[in-house]
Amino acid sequence: MLLAGVEHNLITFVGDLTVSNIVQAHEELGAALRQDGPVVVDIDGVAEIDLTFVQLLESARRKAAETGRDLTLRHPADGAVLEVLRRGGFLDNENSQRAQFWLQGAAQ
Amino acid sequence: MSGQDPVEIFRQEAQELFEEIEQGLLDLAHRPGDRDLVDAVFRGLHTLKGSGAMFGFDALAAFTHHCETAFDRVRKGEVAATSELVGAVLACQDHMRALAEGGAASEATGEMLLAELHRVVESAGQASSAEVAAAEPDLNTWRVRFSLPADALVNGTRPLPLLDELRELGDCQVTAVTDNIPDFDILVASECHLAWDVTLVTKHGRDAIEDVFIFVIDDMTLDIQAVGEASVEAAVVEKAVVEAAPSAAAPIAAPAKDEAPAAGEGRKAGGDTVRVPAERLDEMMDRVGELVIAQSRLKQLAASSSDIALRAVAEEIERLASEMRDTMMVVRMVPIAQLFGRFRRLIHDLARDTGKTIELSTEGEATELDKTVIERLADPLIHLIRNSADHGLETPEQRLAAGKSATGNIVLAARQSGAEVVITITDDGRGVDRARVRAKAEENGLIQPGQVLSDSDLLQLIFAPGFSTAAAITNLSGRGVGMDVVKRTIEGLRGSIELSSTPGEGSVVSLRIPLTLAIIDGLLVRVGTGRYVIPLSAVEECVELSVEQDMRSTGRSLITLRDQLVPFIRLRSLFATGLAPDPHQKVVVVAVGQERVGLVVDQILGDHQTVIKPLSSFHADVGTFSGATILGDGGVALILDIAHLVAAGQRSDAQLRAAS
C-alpha cells in the first residue's frame, strides 16, 4: 500500500517506491494536487526508492511552483531517500530550489 | 505453433555468447592490448552470468562470476591479458559450456579450474602492476554528459551504479539534469527523463569512462569531452533509441564509435533479427517446394487451356513462386564465418597438444551457404584441418631444418563459383609422401604391387575406404584417417573433394559444395520415354548431334567443340531404353571444374525449378542419380549426378586413349 492516508492534503507514502508501482504513486499524488490548499508529502515511512520517485516529486514540485501551490515534504529526506538523492547528484547545489525542497535547509 | 522452451532459448543464447567469448579470447591471444576485445569478452561473460542466473543456471552463473571478475581486472588494467590467462579462461569456458548443457559437469573440475585461474590472474596481476607503476599517468579533467533511453529504468538499467563507477575513477562532481522531466499531468512516471552532467578529475583516459557505460552504450547518449577539448572531438554515441527522445543535456557531435568491437556487432544487430528454430525453416522450405511443384502443374494446365485469364494467373503464380523460392534461399543462407570461427579454437588446442606453432588464416568468410550445408560441413572440415595440423605440418624444428619458418600455416578459404562454393584447406607442411601412400595401399590390397597409377589416382587412394583405419598409427598415413568418411559426407552434399599436394611444400584439399540442397534450377530432358533433370549450374551449352556424327563416333564417343575434343555419354545406352534414337539428338555439355563431358539426350524439354527429393537409402549407392523430383504432371524425374557422370566420361575417354 503506497498511500497510508490523505488528511487535509497530507499524502503519506510508505514502503518501496520504485518503477514497479510509480504509476500508482503518480495517480495518488495527482489526486492530492487536484485538491485545494497546500500539499504535504510524508516520506518518513518510505523504505526504498528509485529514480522514478525522485523524478515524480521533481515534476510535482515544479508543477506546484508554476501554479503557485505549496508542496512540501513533511520532514527533510533522510535514510534511503537521502542516499539516492546524494548518489544521483540531486543535491549538488544546496542553495538550489531542488535541494531546498528535499533538505529543507537540513544538512546533507 | 507452440512456444519455445525458455531453457532451450537460454542455451541457444549461451551458445552464441560462448562463441563470441571464445573468438574474443582467441583474438586477445594475438592482440593482448586490444581494449575492444577485453570489453567484448567481459560483456559476454557478464551477460552469460546474468542470463544464467535469470534462467536458473545458478552453478553456471556462480562459476562465470569468477571469470568475469578476472576480466574486470583486465579491463581495469590491473591484470595483463597474458596468453596463460587466455588459456585459463578458455578452459573455464569449456566447463561453462558443460554447465549450460546441463550435463555432468564435475564440481571438482570447476574448483580446479578456478584455482588455476586465480593463480594465473595473480601472476598476470603482478606483471601488470609493475608496468602501471612504471608509467603513472597525469590527471585529466573530463566533462561527461549522458542520458538514458526512456525505457531504461523499466528495462532494469540502474543509473546510480553508473554514477558510483564514475566516482571510483577519481574526483567526481555529479549534477542531475531534470530540465527534461515533462509536466506532472503528462508525465509517464515509469520512463526515464533524467540526464547527468559530471565533471571528473582522473588519471584514467576516455576508454575507462566509456567502460562504465559498456552495457548501455548502444542505446544511450554519451558525450565525453576533455576540458579544453573542442566539441567536434567529443566522443558521442548516438543510437536510434535516443534519437526518438532527444535530451538537451546531451549535445550531438560526430559519431565516434563507428568501429565498434567485432563481437559487439552481433549483439547490436540482434535488435533487427529474429531467432527462428531451424526446423521451422525446413518446414517452410518444404512448403515452398510443394508450392513450386503445384505451380509447375498449374503452368502445364494453363498451357493446354485457351483461357487467357488462367494463363495470366499461371504466369503470375510462376513469378511469385520463383521469387518466394529465391527469398527462401536467402533466408537459409548464413555466412561461412560461423563455421570458420569454430576452427580457431581447434587450431589453438592442436597447437598446444602437438607443440607446433600454427597460424590459421581465413579468407572469404562472408561467403554464404545454406545453413544445412554449413552444419553438415563442420565434421568433415574438422577432420581435414586436424589432419593438416597434426600430420601435414612439421614440428618447428623440422620446418627450420627444411628452410621454412618455424610457424606452420593453414589457410581456410571460401569463394563462390556459380552455384557452388569452393572451400580450400591449404597447408604449407610436408605434403603427401606418395611412396608411403602406395605402400599402404598395396598392403591393404587397394592396388596391385607395381600397378601403374597417375599421380591424381594415387592421391585419390587416400579417400578409399579401408585405406585409413590401420594407417592411423603412422604419422604420414594419418592423413587418411576418416578421409573416406569425409568424402562420403561431401558427396552426400552433392559436392566433390579433390586433393593436390607437392612434396615438401604442402597440400590443398578443395571441396566444391552446392549453395543449397533443396531447390535447384534444372534442365529437363527426355531420354527414350524417361525424363531427367540436369542441374542447370553444370550446363555449359547444348549442341545438336546429327545422325551422321552419331554414326561416325560409334567407337570412341567424342565431339569437337571449338577445336576441342569432348567425350560424350549416350544416356540412351546408359539407361538401356531399348528405343531408337531421335533423329535430332542433342548433346548437353556439362562441366565440373575443368572437366567437360557431353550427355546425349533425345530431347530438351526446357528449364524446370527442381525441388530435390532424396533417393531412399536403398538407392544411396546409385552413382548416376543424385535425387528425384516431381514434375508438373505428377510424374517423377531423376536428377543426374553430374560429378559422377563427368568422372565416368573422362575415365572411359582416358581408357580409350590408353588403348589406342
mmCIF file of all heavy atoms in Angstrom, chain B residues 72-96:
data_model
loop_
_atom_site.group_PDB
_atom_site.id
_atom_site.type_symbol
_atom_site.label_atom_id
_atom_site.label_comp_id
_atom_site.label_asym_id
_atom_site.label_seq_id
_atom_site.Cartn_x
_atom_site.Cartn_y
_atom_site.Cartn_z
ATOM 1 N N ASP B 72 37.304 -8.358 -15.316
ATOM 2 C CA ASP B 72 37.090 -6.997 -14.844
ATOM 3 C C ASP B 72 38.440 -6.394 -14.456
ATOM 4 O O ASP B 72 38.713 -5.216 -14.688
ATOM 5 C CB ASP B 72 36.130 -7.020 -13.645
ATOM 6 C CG ASP B 72 35.644 -5.617 -13.313
ATOM 7 O OD1 ASP B 72 35.543 -4.800 -14.251
ATOM 8 O OD2 ASP B 72 35.381 -5.342 -12.133
ATOM 9 N N ARG B 73 39.285 -7.229 -13.890
ATOM 10 C CA ARG B 73 40.619 -6.744 -13.511
ATOM 11 C C ARG B 73 41.462 -6.441 -14.746
ATOM 12 O O ARG B 73 42.265 -5.522 -14.742
ATOM 13 C CB ARG B 73 41.314 -7.771 -12.606
ATOM 14 C CG ARG B 73 40.611 -7.901 -11.253
ATOM 15 C CD ARG B 73 41.399 -8.736 -10.279
ATOM 16 N NE ARG B 73 42.688 -8.127 -9.946
ATOM 17 C CZ ARG B 73 43.625 -8.724 -9.234
ATOM 18 N NH1 ARG B 73 43.402 -9.954 -8.748
ATOM 19 N NH2 ARG B 73 44.758 -8.137 -8.968
ATOM 20 N N VAL B 74 41.254 -7.232 -15.798
ATOM 21 C CA VAL B 74 41.961 -6.940 -17.051
ATOM 22 C C VAL B 74 41.465 -5.608 -17.589
ATOM 23 O O VAL B 74 42.231 -4.747 -18.033
ATOM 24 C CB VAL B 74 41.704 -8.056 -18.094
ATOM 25 C CG1 VAL B 74 42.384 -7.715 -19.418
ATOM 26 C CG2 VAL B 74 42.201 -9.403 -17.579
ATOM 27 N N ARG B 75 40.143 -5.426 -17.529
ATOM 28 C CA ARG B 75 39.504 -4.211 -18.031
ATOM 29 C C ARG B 75 40.027 -2.985 -17.309
ATOM 30 O O ARG B 75 40.198 -1.918 -17.886
ATOM 31 C CB ARG B 75 38.000 -4.355 -17.806
ATOM 32 C CG ARG B 75 37.111 -3.549 -18.712
ATOM 33 C CD ARG B 75 35.716 -4.102 -18.651
ATOM 34 N NE ARG B 75 35.118 -3.988 -17.344
ATOM 35 C CZ ARG B 75 34.260 -3.036 -16.988
ATOM 36 N NH1 ARG B 75 33.917 -2.126 -17.860
ATOM 37 N NH2 ARG B 75 33.738 -3.010 -15.789
ATOM 38 N N LYS B 76 40.247 -3.151 -16.020
ATOM 39 C CA LYS B 76 40.709 -2.007 -15.232
ATOM 40 C C LYS B 76 42.222 -1.828 -15.305
ATOM 41 O O LYS B 76 42.788 -0.981 -14.611
ATOM 42 C CB LYS B 76 40.279 -2.190 -13.778
ATOM 43 C CG LYS B 76 38.773 -1.986 -13.600
ATOM 44 C CD LYS B 76 38.339 -2.287 -12.201
ATOM 45 C CE LYS B 76 36.864 -1.976 -12.032
ATOM 46 N NZ LYS B 76 36.289 -2.647 -10.874
ATOM 47 N N GLY B 77 42.864 -2.666 -16.074
ATOM 48 C CA GLY B 77 44.296 -2.524 -16.251
ATOM 49 C C GLY B 77 45.119 -3.081 -15.093
ATOM 50 O O GLY B 77 46.321 -2.865 -15.019
ATOM 51 N N GLU B 78 44.457 -3.805 -14.183
ATOM 52 C CA GLU B 78 45.194 -4.356 -13.035
ATOM 53 C C GLU B 78 45.910 -5.651 -13.397
ATOM 54 O O GLU B 78 46.862 -6.052 -12.729
ATOM 55 C CB GLU B 78 44.219 -4.638 -11.882
ATOM 56 C CG GLU B 78 43.546 -3.394 -11.344
ATOM 57 C CD GLU B 78 42.381 -3.739 -10.428
ATOM 58 O OE1 GLU B 78 42.223 -4.914 -10.047
ATOM 59 O OE2 GLU B 78 41.618 -2.817 -10.121
ATOM 60 N N VAL B 79 45.384 -6.309 -14.421
ATOM 61 C CA VAL B 79 45.922 -7.615 -14.795
ATOM 62 C C VAL B 79 46.135 -7.618 -16.303
ATOM 63 O O VAL B 79 45.299 -7.096 -17.055
ATOM 64 C CB VAL B 79 44.910 -8.723 -14.396
ATOM 65 C CG1 VAL B 79 45.276 -10.048 -15.026
ATOM 66 C CG2 VAL B 79 44.830 -8.853 -12.884
ATOM 67 N N ALA B 80 47.276 -8.185 -16.734
ATOM 68 C CA ALA B 80 47.555 -8.238 -18.173
ATOM 69 C C ALA B 80 46.878 -9.459 -18.793
ATOM 70 O O ALA B 80 46.789 -10.507 -18.156
ATOM 71 C CB ALA B 80 49.060 -8.324 -18.389
ATOM 72 N N ALA B 81 46.400 -9.291 -20.032
ATOM 73 C CA ALA B 81 45.738 -10.409 -20.723
ATOM 74 C C ALA B 81 46.802 -11.309 -21.340
ATOM 75 O O ALA B 81 46.990 -11.348 -22.548
ATOM 76 C CB ALA B 81 44.795 -9.870 -21.782
ATOM 77 N N THR B 82 47.497 -12.036 -20.487
ATOM 78 C CA THR B 82 48.569 -12.904 -20.985
ATOM 79 C C THR B 82 47.961 -14.120 -21.683
ATOM 80 O O THR B 82 46.789 -14.433 -21.495
ATOM 81 C CB THR B 82 49.428 -13.408 -19.817
ATOM 82 O OG1 THR B 82 48.566 -14.126 -18.924
ATOM 83 C CG2 THR B 82 50.073 -12.263 -19.067
ATOM 84 N N SER B 83 48.801 -14.794 -22.478
ATOM 85 C CA SER B 83 48.289 -15.988 -23.168
ATOM 86 C C SER B 83 47.922 -17.063 -22.148
ATOM 87 O O SER B 83 47.007 -17.866 -22.372
ATOM 88 C CB SER B 83 49.326 -16.514 -24.154
ATOM 89 O OG SER B 83 50.503 -16.832 -23.460
ATOM 90 N N GLU B 84 48.604 -17.044 -21.013
ATOM 91 C CA GLU B 84 48.292 -18.013 -19.960
ATOM 92 C C GLU B 84 46.882 -17.742 -19.397
ATOM 93 O O GLU B 84 46.103 -18.663 -19.169
ATOM 94 C CB GLU B 84 49.336 -17.891 -18.854
ATOM 95 C CG GLU B 84 49.484 -19.157 -18.045
ATOM 96 C CD GLU B 84 50.482 -18.998 -16.907
ATOM 97 O OE1 GLU B 84 50.950 -17.868 -16.678
ATOM 98 O OE2 GLU B 84 50.769 -20.002 -16.246
ATOM 99 N N LEU B 85 46.591 -16.465 -19.228
ATOM 100 C CA LEU B 85 45.271 -16.090 -18.723
ATOM 101 C C LEU B 85 44.183 -16.472 -19.736
ATOM 102 O O LEU B 85 43.137 -17.028 -19.381
ATOM 103 C CB LEU B 85 45.223 -14.586 -18.427
ATOM 104 C CG LEU B 85 43.873 -14.033 -17.976
ATOM 105 C CD1 LEU B 85 43.461 -14.612 -16.633
ATOM 106 C CD2 LEU B 85 43.902 -12.522 -17.880
ATOM 107 N N VAL B 86 44.471 -16.175 -21.003
ATOM 108 C CA VAL B 86 43.512 -16.521 -22.060
ATOM 109 C C VAL B 86 43.258 -18.033 -22.053
ATOM 110 O O VAL B 86 42.120 -18.488 -22.120
ATOM 111 C CB VAL B 86 44.046 -16.060 -23.442
ATOM 112 C CG1 VAL B 86 43.247 -16.686 -24.577
ATOM 113 C CG2 VAL B 86 44.001 -14.539 -23.540
ATOM 114 N N GLY B 87 44.340 -18.794 -21.939
ATOM 115 C CA GLY B 87 44.205 -20.257 -21.904
ATOM 116 C C GLY B 87 43.372 -20.721 -20.726
ATOM 117 O O GLY B 87 42.526 -21.610 -20.855
ATOM 118 N N ALA B 88 43.600 -20.098 -19.573
ATOM 119 C CA ALA B 88 42.857 -20.493 -18.366
ATOM 120 C C ALA B 88 41.371 -20.181 -18.517
ATOM 121 O O ALA B 88 40.508 -20.981 -18.141
ATOM 122 C CB ALA B 88 43.427 -19.758 -17.145
ATOM 123 N N VAL B 89 41.055 -19.023 -19.105
ATOM 124 C CA VAL B 89 39.642 -18.667 -19.275
ATOM 125 C C VAL B 89 38.998 -19.561 -20.340
ATOM 126 O O VAL B 89 37.825 -19.947 -20.217
ATOM 127 C CB VAL B 89 39.479 -17.164 -19.621
ATOM 128 C CG1 VAL B 89 38.013 -16.794 -19.782
ATOM 129 C CG2 VAL B 89 40.080 -16.300 -18.523
ATOM 130 N N LEU B 90 39.772 -19.909 -21.364
ATOM 131 C CA LEU B 90 39.229 -20.834 -22.370
ATOM 132 C C LEU B 90 38.854 -22.172 -21.721
ATOM 133 O O LEU B 90 37.810 -22.749 -22.004
ATOM 134 C CB LEU B 90 40.255 -21.076 -23.484
ATOM 135 C CG LEU B 90 40.313 -20.055 -24.613
ATOM 136 C CD1 LEU B 90 41.477 -20.376 -25.542
ATOM 137 C CD2 LEU B 90 39.024 -20.012 -25.409
ATOM 138 N N ALA B 91 39.737 -22.637 -20.866
ATOM 139 C CA ALA B 91 39.458 -23.903 -20.171
ATOM 140 C C ALA B 91 38.213 -23.750 -19.298
ATOM 141 O O ALA B 91 37.366 -24.654 -19.241
ATOM 142 C CB ALA B 91 40.665 -24.310 -19.330
ATOM 143 N N CYS B 92 38.102 -22.610 -18.627
ATOM 144 C CA CYS B 92 36.909 -22.353 -17.805
ATOM 145 C C CYS B 92 35.662 -22.330 -18.682
ATOM 146 O O CYS B 92 34.596 -22.785 -18.292
ATOM 147 C CB CYS B 92 37.028 -21.005 -17.096
ATOM 148 S SG CYS B 92 38.195 -21.037 -15.729
ATOM 149 N N GLN B 93 35.827 -21.783 -19.884
ATOM 150 C CA GLN B 93 34.674 -21.682 -20.764
ATOM 151 C C GLN B 93 34.135 -23.061 -21.148
ATOM 152 O O GLN B 93 32.928 -23.264 -21.268
ATOM 153 C CB GLN B 93 35.060 -20.899 -22.009
ATOM 154 C CG GLN B 93 33.823 -20.455 -22.744
ATOM 155 C CD GLN B 93 34.056 -20.184 -24.200
ATOM 156 O OE1 GLN B 93 33.576 -19.198 -24.695
ATOM 157 N NE2 GLN B 93 34.795 -21.041 -24.883
ATOM 158 N N ASP B 94 35.038 -24.010 -21.333
ATOM 159 C CA ASP B 94 34.582 -25.375 -21.635
ATOM 160 C C ASP B 94 33.719 -25.900 -20.500
ATOM 161 O O ASP B 94 32.722 -26.586 -20.718
ATOM 162 C CB ASP B 94 35.791 -26.302 -21.855
ATOM 163 C CG ASP B 94 36.537 -25.943 -23.129
ATOM 164 O OD1 ASP B 94 35.934 -25.271 -23.984
ATOM 165 O OD2 ASP B 94 37.712 -26.339 -23.248
ATOM 166 N N HIS B 95 34.136 -25.579 -19.293
ATOM 167 C CA HIS B 95 33.371 -26.023 -18.124
ATOM 168 C C HIS B 95 32.001 -25.328 -18.103
ATOM 169 O O HIS B 95 30.987 -25.947 -17.797
ATOM 170 C CB HIS B 95 34.163 -25.691 -16.851
ATOM 171 C CG HIS B 95 33.563 -26.247 -15.603
ATOM 172 N ND1 HIS B 95 33.496 -27.600 -15.361
ATOM 173 C CD2 HIS B 95 32.978 -25.648 -14.539
ATOM 174 C CE1 HIS B 95 32.897 -27.805 -14.194
ATOM 175 N NE2 HIS B 95 32.571 -26.627 -13.680
ATOM 176 N N MET B 96 31.999 -24.054 -18.472
ATOM 177 C CA MET B 96 30.723 -23.318 -18.513
ATOM 178 C C MET B 96 29.785 -23.936 -19.537
ATOM 179 O O MET B 96 28.581 -24.042 -19.316
ATOM 180 C CB MET B 96 30.970 -21.861 -18.901
ATOM 181 C CG MET B 96 31.649 -21.035 -17.853
ATOM 182 S SD MET B 96 31.859 -19.385 -18.548
ATOM 183 C CE MET B 96 33.452 -18.967 -17.970
#
